[in-house]
Amino acid sequence: MLLLLDAVPDLLSAIGAAAVIALASAAWRRLSSRRAAASAALDESRTLRRYTLLRTSGPDGAPEQYETTRPAGTVIVHRVDGLSQRFELTDVPLGDGTFAAEPFDHL
């Protein structure tokens, strides 16, 4: 019984050391994943995207397109038939590889 009581402090310190190592490892993984996510978001925000301006047509009859690095949800102003019109950039992909830019204040 005395041998068992003498081993308790060593056992508790080993468990404590293992817990500290596990917590430090979990914290390191969490910080690393946050940095990676922030870096990926920054890279995505800098990606050049081409948007098709819905309900517009250029001189050739095809919808007008707009290129920007601005994120989805941004409202842009574009001249259509000599008038300024606002469009909201979206994350909706179209069949031609562009993204949709919806008229913001179209009636």
Side-chain angles (χ1 to χ4, degrees), residues 15 34 72 93:
I15 290 173
R34 281 187 180 178

Side-chain angles (χ1 to χ4, degrees), residues 32-81:
S32 295
S33 67
R34 281 187 180 178
R35 272 190 239 136
S39 176
L42 185 61
D43 289 344
E44 184 175 320
S45 69
R46 292 182 183 163
T47 302
L48 183 66
R49 284 185 170 183
R50 178 173 290 185
Y51 291 90
T52 297
L53 305 176
L54 301 179
R55 298 187 184 138
T56 64
S57 61
D60 58 353
E64 293 188 34
Q65 294 186 344
Y66 184 83
E67 288 184 345
T68 186
T69 58
R70 294 180 184 165
T74 302
V75 176
I76 60 165
V77 176
H78 187 73
R79 295 193 67 78
V80 178
D81 297 328

